[in-house]
Every structure is written in structure tokens, then in C-alpha cells.
Amino acid sequence: MKNYLLLILCVISTKAFAQQSATLTGKILEEKTAQPIEYAGIVLTSKKDSTIKIGAVSNATGEFILKDVANGDYKFKITVVGFNPVEKNIAVNGKPLNLGVFKLKEDAIMLKDVSVNGRIATATIKKDTVEFNADAYKTQPNAAVEDLLKKLPGVTIDKDGSILVQGQKVNRLTVDGKDFFGTEPKTATKNLPADVIAKVQLIDSKTLEAKATGIDDGQREKVLNLTIKEDKKNGWFGNANLSGGTTDRYSGYLSANHFTKKMQFALLGMSNNISNSSFQYEDLNSFTGGNIGNIFAPPGGGGFSINVNNGRTTIGGSGVFDNSAIGEVTTHSGGLNYSNSWGKKDKLTLSSSYFTYFSKGLGYRFSNVQDINQDDVLRTDEVSNRNSDNQAHRFNFKVEFHPDSLTDIALRSNAILNYTSNINNRTFNSTFDLAGKTNQGNQYLNQENATPSVFGEFSLTRRLKKGSVILGLNGTQNTFNADWLNKSLINNYRGNLIDVTDINQQAEQENKSKNYGFAINYIRPLFNKKWSGNIAYLQNNSAVEAQQTTLSYNPLTNTYDTVVPDFSNTLNNKTWLQSARVGLIYNRTQWTYNLGLGFQETGLDASTYSSTGLNTNNIERRYYNILPRLNISFRNPAKHTLQLNYNANVNLPSVNDLQPVQNNSNPLYQRVGNPNLEARKSHRMSVNFNTFSADNNKYWNGYFLVNYALDDIGNSINYVEGVQYVQPVNVDGNYYMNAGTFFGQPTKLKGLRMGYGLNLSFSHNSSFINSEKNVTDRYNFGPNANMSYDVADKLNAGIYFGVQYSKVNNSQPSALDNKFISFYSSTSLSYEFIKNTRFNAELNHNGTAGRADGFNNNIFLLNAGMEQYFMQRRITLALKGFDILNQNTNIDRTVNGSRIEDIRFNSITRYFYVSLNYKITKVGSKSERSNPRSTVN
């Protein structure tokens, strides 16, 4: 593995930093003041082939350098806003060339703010920011920010709504520099109209700690900031839409936004019966301003997952969109978002939001499961229907106060109220390939859950004469209440005999958890400005009480009054963590080295009690670990970056993994916790590199990640008459690797852009099947390509194609190697063939091969329609069709250890509808003109 990593680093360094003999240098100054000009753009164009360009920008002293310049004749040009451009012809003969000092004259025309005829500058580089002029990228009428982002070089939006910039995921989205419904970027892009955006800024932002202390730690996060045009402030903008169609389909939608220079207000609402739950995820991005992380992440900032399928979004762990509805879903949801600031330099800022969500689903589920069982394979077919009812409320509040230039205070809190109800009827049968039929049965399960949660966080940063102190406090209280009624009838086949298991039980489960933490960090410069160090201490404590009581039906009393001991107990669990950490940072001009050590104690004290109150088990664990971390980063003015990260972590097992009580809500898959689990230790290393040229909009990037775990948590599975009894156990040697690269560029044909990508991953996981170890190796490999073609705002076309090859090998002799292929393509066309009349069409193709019979798919989903614009395009009347070919099918495959599961859900098929859209563009103050200045290139 070390050899592979060394090879990758060598390739990266060779590509990014190899030097040749021809190097050009120079310096740029203002003519009047002789002051250096920073961020001036330098372009070298070959006279022989004008498509060959080399670009650079000047640094803080006005100096620039052009490396790796091949021999030949070139046209040299300097451009910077506010100054006259400079051009000259030069010849390169393989020897270093100093071009001397260039003294630029101020552009009198631009200083007078007079319009300059010329094409709009598409992109500029400003230190850690790549800024795109939104007006330089044509979008369709009524287009959303998402459509604008897709046209920017190096920006892609994947199927789950995540925004990628040159292959790197955007962690945060802001509007005019402010959080807009949270921090993660998957929502504002759908609701904010594209024509209200002035600039799109892609920022390599420093961490909040680095900003507060002024000491650069080398860490960066991708932030997408949208600036609103001045003439759109002090007014309202957004969209209102109403649709109705065949088969009783309907949809209503409202997005209204009101901005001033300091205040932001957003209103979002929707109602439909076309399974567009949760606004298809990008809708939430406008409402939250792309800040899903703060708005919908679990209290305390825990992890959560986002899944999008046929327009329906589920945000697992959010407490709002933990939506178990499947099939055809009816949704009503909406919210309010408000933020404001007061005082000079925004001394006090406030942001708050409320979101509510209601959904009902009627789903039909068909599944085929293959389970490895030593020397045989167990196959289970299942048919179920589910009625789901979900209700959620989410409150968020954040305030920041800066009483003076040395002090920053922040307070954040949120609360969640979530209620779900599911009624599930299922039939199933299981058969071994060799031993034959093992069981057949049915189940009625009625379950209701309530999960209220509250979270609060306080932070204080104080800058001292030498260094800064950061203090943080946080607390969380979560409650999970579940009640279910389980009626199951199972026929177990033993040769010619049939053993009947009849379950009629009622259960109650309540988990209460409290968590609070404290951290203090002192950071200061050391020997000189290049060196700094920090020392920190943090402590975290949690207490959990988990109780489950299961009662069997008593026919004599006609009530549930008989305790089932194996399915009833109480677990009291206390955990704590305290850590002392030291770190050292060394900053050079383009390199930053950040390394540290953590000395950590982790502890666990748990006790279990039977249904009668008898103490049945006590666990006490203490772990002492030294945890290293390392970050090496490189970035230069030419937007070449390289970053290497390594860290080690220790994680205690969860309450669900520890609690030794069975859960038989799934009669074929019964799980019990393991109170003897050890803590998980992991080592994670990643390498990322990225290049971007604002001159020709080319980008290339790649990444490599590996994660290795000791005492990881796997499953021990035992089969008894076709029923799986599962318990978590510790395993060693699990690891995961992932790598990929992306490349994109415009072509010689104006308006045509191409992009290419490649991803590959490998995982190695262990489990136990009937006490014998099984090792599962999974490989995924897949290329993808995309193309877009835009002719002004008349013709817009795009193509995306991706393929993934998956292979799963298991060490158990009975397990046949499994391999399958998934491929996805999308073609879109929009053409305004008559003024104010536009044709739109989108064809998506999903295909698979290698799945179980009946679960392979080869689906063409065609959506198309006509749009007519009225009142200067403020009103759009459309006639459209969904799934015109009537092929929509919802099929998915899950591969997990020794299990392969193919699932098919019911889904909405062909319907036609009429849609009326009104574009809200009532502005409070009209501008005589937007900024007329443009850069002449």
C-alpha cells in the first residue's frame, strides 16, 4: 500500500510541479505610484496554435512566473481591471527569460464608469476565490440557480443533489456571505432564480478557527457564495407554480424571497401527490441557502445520509426527512427562514428558521434476497405493502455577537419533533439451493415512533496580545419512543414435518440520551510568523438509558400482559472522553505543514437489567490512545493545490450495538446487541490535487482515500430454520480505498464543453456465518463523461453517460462471485424555435445487468413538453408529459457483507399535465443600470 501511495504522489508531483528549462519572470507596478499590482492576469498565447495558452497571476509584490514554456513565438498579454492592457511579442528559446518591469497606466474610461464594448469576463481569480460573472452564462427563461451552476466550468451536480467543484464537494453555500437556511449546499440552487445572481464565487475558505485566530492551519473547505444583483434587493423574487394532470396528479409550489443589504427572508411551500417529497433536495437548497448541514443535520452535528430516488428525497438522521414512505407519496411541507444583522461590520447577526413536513405513502415492495450460509445459499422472496404517515417540525436558531474587535461569541440551537407511523403487511418464503424450502409465512406490523431532540452550542473566541483562546460548550438531549404490534405466522419445514411459530406481541421501547461537552484551545505564534502552535483540552460525557418491554397476547384476558424475558431489558450506559492535544503549524509561501498529537482516554460503564430488575451484566472499559494527525497542503496563485491528510480515531460502540435484547420486528432477521464489544480504532489518509485555469476554463483533479480499522464492528450470523440471528462482533483488518480523477475543458466549437471522469473503489470486510469467518471483497469501477452545448439562450443541449462495474467476492465456498453492471445516461434538449415558444425534452436511461431474474432493468424515462411565455416571460404556460414511454420502474440493489438484496417498488408512471408558473420579480428600487463595466480580453 505504501508503494502505491508513493507512486500516486510521484505522479501528482510530476504533473503539477515538474520544471523545464524555459521560465519567464517579471514584475507589474502602477505607473503613478510604483506600487505592486496583485492578481494581474498574465496570458501567453502561441502564435503557431492560438489554442495553446499558459496563464498566471501576479503575487502580492507584483511578481509573476511562467514555468514549463516550450520553445516558440508567443503573444504576451497583461490584463487587470482598472488599467490599460499591455501586449508584446516574445520568443522563447529554452533559456530563462526576465521580461522586466511593466508599469500599467490607469484606464481613464473605466475610471469614469463608462460602458466598454466587449465580451463579459467569464471568470477571474482573486486569491482563494474563483469568481464567475453570472451574466456570461446564458440560461433558459425561468431557470433556477442549479441550471446556472451546471454551465460553470468544473461545476457538476450529481444525482443526489451534491455540488462538486472540480471534483471536490462543496461543504457550504451562502448568499451574500450569509448562511441561508443552514450551511450545506443542496437547497438554494432549486428555488433562487438564476437571473437574480450577479456573481458565483467558489471559495477555498479557511476554517472558522483559522479566521478567528488569524493563523492559517492549511485546512480548507469548499464554499459556494451567491451574490444577489443590487437591483433585486429591497424587493421580492421567486416562483409560484400550479400543475394538474391526468390520473388525478397535482402539484403546487411557492418560493418567495425578500432581500435587503442586511436582511434575508425566504418562504417555501409545496403540496403534491407525485412523490416529490422534500422538494427533490435541490428545492431545499434555495430554502436553506444551501445550508442543509445546519438545518437538517441531527442535533449535535451527527452524520446523516441523503438519498434521492425518482424525485423523492430522504435525509436519514435529519429528524425531519427520515421518511419511511415508499411507492406513491403525497406530501405537504414548507418553512420560513429569516436572517439579519445590525451595527457596524455586522456586530450582531441572527438567523432562524422553521420547517414542517407531512407525508403519506402507499407502497408495494417486492424483494429477492440471497444470503450465504456456509455450504448453501438461502434465497428469500418477499412481497409487502406499507401505509406510512410522517410528521415533522424543525426549529433552528443562531446568533453571533462581536462586542469588540477582539471577541467573537456564537450561540446555536435547534429542536426536532418527529412522528412516524407505519402499517406493514408482508408475505415471505425462504428456500435453500440444496436443502430446499425452509419456511413460509406472513406478518402484520404496526409501529409508531416519536423522536423529540434538543441541541445547544456556545462558543467564545478571544484574541490576546499573543495568540487566541477558543472556548466551546455543547449539549444534546435525544429521546426515541417506539411502540409496535407484531403479529407473525411462520411455517418452518423440517423434512415432511411443519413447525408453526405464532407471534402476537406488543412492545414498547424508550431510549433517552444526554450528552454534553467542553473544549478549550489556545493557539499562538511561536518563533516567527511562519511558526505557530496550539494546545487544547476537550471532554465529552454522555448517559443513555435504553429500555424495551415486550408483552405477549394472553387469550384468557384478551390483553397483552405476559412479559417476554428475551425481548425485554434495560441498559444504562455512561461514556466519557477526555483528550489533551498539541499541534504545530509551519507556513511557507505556498506550503503549510500542520501536525499534532492527541493523548486520549475513552471510557464506558454499562449495566443491564432483566425485566424483573435483576442486574444481569456489568461492563467497564477504559482505553488510552495516542492519536496522531497530519495535514500537508500546497496552493499557488495559479490555482494548483495539493493536500494530504492523515488522522487516527477511537469510537465507542453505539447503544444499539451494546444492548443485549432481541428485536423480532422482522421475523426472518432477528438482531441482539453485544455488551462485550471493544472500541473501534481507525486510521484514515487522503490525498487530493486540483488544477484550474481561469484563462481557458480547464480543470483537472484527483483524489485517493484509504481507511483502515482495528476492532471494527461486523456481524455474526447464525441460521436456524431459515431465520437469521445476528449479533455485532469485533473484527480486524477491515479497510476501504477510493480513488478518482476528473478533467474538463471547453472545445474549439463555441458553446461546447466536455468533461470526463473515472472512479474506482475497493472494500475488504469480515463477518462470521455459523461461526466461520467470511471475507467480502467488493470492487467498483466506472468511467463517466458529459457534454453541454449552448447557443445563447435559444438552444441548450446536454449529454451525460456513466457506467459502473461492481464485483463482490466472498470467501465462503458456497458463495458464488457476484458481478453486475449499472449504467446511466441522460440527454436534454431545450430549443426556442419561435420567440416565446420553447420545446423541452429530457430522456434518462437506467440499465443493469447481472441481477436476479425480474430485477434487471432497462428503462427509458422520457419527459417532454411545450412552454409559452407571456408578460415579458413572467408567466409560463406549459403542457408536458411525464414518463411518456410508460417505463418508469423503481429498482435497487443492496450488497452488504454476505447479503445481496434486489428490491422493486411501485412508482408513478405516465401522466400528462398543464402547468402555470408565475415569476415573482417585484423589486423595491429599480437601478438605472447594472454594472456596465466589462473587461475587454
Side-chain angles (χ1 to χ4, degrees):
M1 188 181 302
K2 293 182 179 178
N3 293 334
Y4 289 139
L5 176 61
L6 181 60
L7 178 60
I8 290 173
L9 289 174
C10 291
V11 172
I12 293 172
S13 61
T14 302
K15 174 69 180 178
F17 312 114
Q19 295 192 14
Q20 298 180 3
S21 59
T23 301
L24 278 61
T25 57
K27 191 171 186 178
I28 304 172
L29 305 175
E30 294 184 25
E31 185 183 58
K32 286 186 177 181
T33 64
Q35 293 296 314
I37 299 177
E38 189 177 8
Y39 305 122
I42 299 98
V43 178
L44 199 63
T45 306
S46 171
K47 289 186 176 181
K48 183 178 180 181
D49 184 352
S50 61
T51 63
I52 299 176
K53 297 182 179 181
I54 302 174
V57 293
S58 58
N59 59 22
T61 62
E63 297 174 336
F64 65 87
I65 183 170
L66 296 164
K67 298 179 180 179
D68 306 329
V69 181
N71 293 347
D73 295 325
Y74 293 88
K75 180 180 178 181
F76 176 84
K77 185 177 181 179
I78 301 174
T79 58
V80 61
V81 176
F83 294 87
N84 291 324
V86 172
E87 296 183 17
K88 67 180 298 184
N89 296 324
I90 61 173
V92 178
N93 58 9
K95 297 180 180 179
L97 179 61
N98 189 336
L99 299 175
V101 178
F102 296 90
K103 296 183 178 181
L104 271 58
K105 295 181 180 180
E106 291 181 339
D107 188 337
I109 294 179
M110 297 194 72
L111 290 175
K112 292 178 181 179
D113 200 28
V114 175
S115 176
V116 177
N117 292 322
R119 67 180 178 89
I120 301 172
T122 58
T124 57
I125 296 178
K126 300 178 179 180
K127 205 171 184 178
D128 289 334
T129 301
V130 179
E131 183 178 272
F132 295 96
N133 189 328
D135 288 337
Y137 298 88
K138 299 298 182 182
T139 56
Q140 301 176 32
N142 303 321
V145 168
E146 177 190 18
D147 302 303
L148 170 64
L149 295 180
K150 289 179 178 178
K151 294 181 178 294
L152 303 183
V155 178
T156 58
I157 300 179
D158 63 19
K159 290 183 66 177
D160 73 354
S162 297
I163 302 172
L164 304 176
V165 177
Q166 293 120 39
Q168 295 177 308
K169 185 177 180 179
V170 173
N171 301 313
R172 197 166 161 234
L173 186 147
T174 58
V175 177
D176 283 337
K178 296 181 181 179
D179 288 347
F180 187 49
F181 275 104
T183 55
E184 184 172 330
K186 290 184 180 176
T187 322
T189 58
K190 191 76 173 185
N191 296 316
L192 287 178
D195 61 2
V196 306
I197 305 301
K199 304 287 185 183
V200 178
Q201 297 172 331
L202 307 176
I203 306 168
D204 288 322
S205 179
K206 297 178 182 178
T207 61
L208 294 177
E209 182 177 294
K211 291 178 181 178
T213 62
I215 295 176
D216 190 352
D217 56 8
Q219 304 274 1
R220 293 295 189 272
E221 65 171 351
K222 279 289 183 186
V223 175
L224 177 64
N225 182 55
L226 306 174
T227 67
I228 305 298
K229 293 178 179 177
E230 290 298 323
D231 65 343
K232 299 298 182 183
K233 296 181 180 179
N234 299 318
W236 290 85
F237 59 88
N239 285 288
N241 183 276
L242 184 64
S243 301
T246 59
T247 63
D248 297 324
R249 301 299 174 189
Y250 75 89
S251 176
Y253 170 81
L254 172 66
S255 169
N257 305 272
H258 176 57
F259 285 2
T260 66
K261 289 188 176 181
K262 292 196 173 185
M263 189 273 289
Q264 296 178 355
F265 175 79
L267 171 67
L268 184 65
M270 62 101 79
S271 177
N272 70 77
N273 65 351
I274 56 175
S275 297
N276 279 349
S277 304
S278 117
F279 302 92
Q280 293 194 337
Y281 194 49
E282 293 92 345
D283 296 335
L284 292 174
N285 211 14
S286 176
F287 177 70
T288 66
N291 293 326
I292 286 183
N294 278 352
I295 298 301
F296 297 121
F304 65 107
S305 61
I306 297 173
N307 298 292
V308 180
N309 201 342
N310 286 340
R312 179 174 61 85
T313 301
T314 301
I315 306 180
S318 68
V320 176
F321 297 113
D322 299 326
N323 190 350
S324 56
I326 62 174
E328 300 186 23
V329 183
T330 298
T331 303
H332 315 286
S333 60
L336 301 170
N337 183 43
Y338 173 80
S339 64
N340 209 340
S341 60
W342 298 268
K344 293 182 178 180
K345 297 183 179 180
D346 296 334
K347 188 173 185 178
L348 176 66
T349 61
L350 168 71
S351 61
S352 60
S353 66
Y354 165 72
F355 200 94
T356 185
Y357 177 86
F358 299 84
S359 76
K360 290 181 180 292
L362 178 61
Y364 301 95
R365 183 181 187 271
F366 309 87
S367 71
N368 174 275
V369 181
Q370 302 175 53
D371 288 299
I372 302 168
N373 178 33
Q374 265 183 332
D375 55 354
D376 208 343
V377 176
L378 177 66
R379 303 183 187 273
T380 302
D381 292 316
E382 179 183 313
V383 179
S384 64
N385 64 77
R386 179 191 295 173
N387 286 283
S388 305
D389 195 342
N390 299 270
Q391 179 185 157
H393 305 272
R394 178 79 185 231
F395 305 87
N396 292 273
F397 175 82
K398 182 181 179 182
V399 62
E400 296 182 54
F401 180 52
H402 310 282
D404 53 56
S405 61
L406 300 177
T407 309
D408 301 323
I409 300 173
L411 176 65
R412 182 169 70 94
S413 66
N414 57 48
I416 301 172
L417 298 174
N418 191 15
Y419 306 93
T420 63
S421 174
N422 293 296
I423 300 175
N424 194 26
N425 288 280
R426 58 196 295 231
T427 60
F428 51 84
N429 65 83
S430 301
T431 303
F432 285 108
D433 284 355
L434 301 178
K437 191 171 185 178
T438 181
N439 63 52
Q440 180 179 343
N442 59 76
Q443 180 192 32
Y444 169 84
L445 181 67
N446 186 345
Q447 181 168 344
E448 296 182 354
N449 300 332
T451 55
S453 302
V454 179
F455 166 76
E457 180 182 60
F458 172 83
S459 66
L460 169 67
T461 301
R462 177 68 180 180
R463 287 171 286 279
L464 309 174
K465 187 175 181 180
K466 290 186 177 180
S468 299
V469 174
I470 303 173
L471 173 68
L473 302 170
N474 65 79
T476 305
Q477 179 168 319
N478 296 321
T479 303
F480 175 78
N481 297 303
D483 300 288
W484 66 86
L485 174 63
N486 180 16
K487 296 181 178 181
S488 303
L489 183 66
I490 308 174
N491 295 319
N492 299 303
Y493 297 93
R494 302 175 180 173
N496 296 324
L497 300 177
I498 300 177
D499 182 21
V500 179
T501 302
D502 190 356
I503 300 173
N504 189 355
Q505 296 175 349
Q506 193 176 67
E508 295 181 358
Q509 187 181 68
E510 182 179 55
N511 293 348
K512 294 181 179 180
S513 67
K514 296 180 180 179
N515 182 283
Y516 60 91
F518 164 80
I520 186 168
N521 185 15
Y522 174 61
I523 184 169
R524 60 159 293 171
L526 295 177
F527 321 111
N528 51 49
K529 292 183 178 180
K530 292 184 177 181
W531 291 88
S532 59
N534 74 294
I535 183 170
Y537 173 80
L538 62 89
Q539 186 177 41
N540 193 77
N541 296 273
S542 68
V544 178
E545 181 179 342
Q547 181 177 345
Q548 179 175 313
T549 302
T550 304
L551 304 174
S552 283
Y553 177 73
N554 186 342
L556 298 178
T557 61
N558 196 30
T559 59
Y560 295 87
D561 58 9
T562 305
V563 175
V564 184
D566 289 342
F567 299 93
S568 304
N569 78 357
T570 299
L571 170 69
N572 292 327
N573 181 39
K574 294 181 180 180
T575 62
W576 65 90
L577 178 153
Q578 59 177 345
S579 177
R581 301 177 181 179
V582 294
L584 187 65
I585 301 172
Y586 176 54
N587 273 300
R588 297 176 60 187
T589 304
Q590 297 178 350
W591 291 86
T592 300
Y593 304 88
N594 186 338
L595 59 130
L597 285 176
F599 304 89
Q600 181 170 302
E601 179 198 34
T602 310
L604 180 151
D605 187 356
S607 299
T608 57
Y609 301 87
S610 68
S611 58
T612 60
L614 180 66
N615 184 287
T616 57
N617 196 14
N618 293 303
I619 313 165
E620 186 174 349
R621 300 273 193 276
R622 279 183 171 82
Y623 306 95
Y624 299 92
N625 300 96
I626 298 177
L627 305 176
R629 62 174 177 82
L630 172 67
N631 170 264
I632 301 175
S633 62
F634 169 88
R635 65 189 67 250
N636 63 13
K639 298 301 290 183
H640 297 157
T641 65
L642 172 67
Q643 191 154 12
L644 182 146
N645 284 286
Y646 164 78
N647 60 69
N649 287 292
V650 174
N651 300 103
L652 292 171
S654 68
V655 174
N656 288 335
D657 288 335
L658 289 171
Q659 188 175 18
V661 61
Q662 277 185 256
N663 185 326
N664 64 345
S665 58
N666 183 343
L668 299 183
Y669 190 87
Q670 301 192 30
R671 191 176 186 276
V672 60
N674 180 1
N676 297 313
L677 289 174
E678 296 287 337
R680 179 181 185 270
K681 300 93 177 175
S682 64
H683 301 267
R684 183 181 188 275
M685 186 182 67
S686 63
V687 180
N688 294 272
F689 71 93
N690 184 72
T691 68
F692 174 71
S693 172
D695 175 62
N696 55 26
N697 288 333
K698 287 184 179 180
Y699 70 91
W700 178 51
N701 58 74
Y703 62 89
F704 172 79
L705 180 146
V706 60
N707 192 92
Y708 182 81
L710 297 170
D711 285 324
D712 201 3
I713 296 179
N715 285 327
S716 175
I717 304 171
N718 287 283
Y719 291 84
V720 180
E721 298 176 347
V723 178
Q724 297 184 63
Y725 293 89
V726 182
Q727 185 176 46
V729 294
N730 288 118
V731 295
D732 281 337
N734 284 0
Y735 60 90
Y736 170 78
M737 292 189 295
N738 190 20
T741 185
F742 301 88
F743 175 77
Q745 66 172 359
T747 66
K748 293 182 179 180
L749 179 61
K750 184 179 179 181
L752 180 63
R753 284 176 47 208
M754 302 290 291
Y756 317 92
L758 179 65
N759 294 280
L760 55 100
S761 64
F762 173 73
S763 63
H764 178 92
N765 294 286
S766 299
S767 59
F768 290 88
I769 301 174
N770 288 343
S771 301
E772 290 192 13
K773 187 175 182 179
N774 177 61
V775 177
T776 302
D777 291 327
R778 178 170 182 169
Y779 309 83
N780 291 300
F781 170 83
N784 61 76
N786 65 81
M787 178 192 75
S788 65
Y789 181 58
D790 300 296
V791 180
D793 58 354
K794 295 293 183 183
L795 176 64
N796 310 99
I799 297 175
Y800 172 86
F801 179 77
V803 179
Q804 179 171 284
Y805 172 77
S806 300
K807 184 177 181 180
V808 181
N809 291 337
N810 290 279
S811 62
Q812 285 273 357
S814 66
L816 299 175
D817 291 347
N818 178 264
K819 52 188 176 182
F820 58 96
I821 299 175
S822 304
F823 43 93
Y824 172 80
S825 65
S826 176
T827 303
S828 62
L829 174 67
S830 177
Y831 178 47
E832 188 169 338
F833 58 95
I834 301 174
K835 185 176 181 181
N836 292 326
T837 303
R838 180 176 287 267
F839 169 76
N840 292 290
E842 182 180 32
L843 179 64
N844 296 313
H845 178 220
N846 288 282
T848 57
R851 293 178 174 175
D853 292 341
F855 291 89
N856 287 307
N857 63 314
N858 189 33
I859 301 165
F860 291 88
L861 183 63
L862 175 63
N863 305 322
M866 299 288 295
E867 294 180 344
Q868 182 68 45
Y869 309 123
F870 304 94
M871 292 182 60
Q872 297 180 334
R873 301 184 180 241
R874 292 181 64 179
I875 294 179
T876 303
L877 179 65
L879 175 62
K880 296 184 178 182
F882 172 82
D883 186 24
I884 295 174
L885 303 178
N886 203 30
Q887 294 188 9
N888 192 25
T889 305
N890 189 348
I891 297 178
D892 193 21
R893 160 164 285 200
T894 302
V895 180
N896 183 13
S898 60
R899 164 169 285 205
I900 301 170
E901 184 173 15
D902 292 316
I903 306 170
R904 184 172 73 249
F905 298 105
N906 62 314
S907 55
I908 294 176
T909 54
R910 179 169 54 201
Y911 68 92
F912 298 89
Y913 63 99
V914 176
S915 173
L916 181 66
N917 188 85
Y918 177 71
K919 189 174 182 180
I920 303 171
T921 58
K922 184 179 179 181
V923 297
S925 60
K926 294 184 178 180
S927 176
E928 292 296 324
R929 63 183 176 190
S930 58
N931 185 5
R933 294 186 294 180
S934 59
T935 303
V936 179
N937 290 335

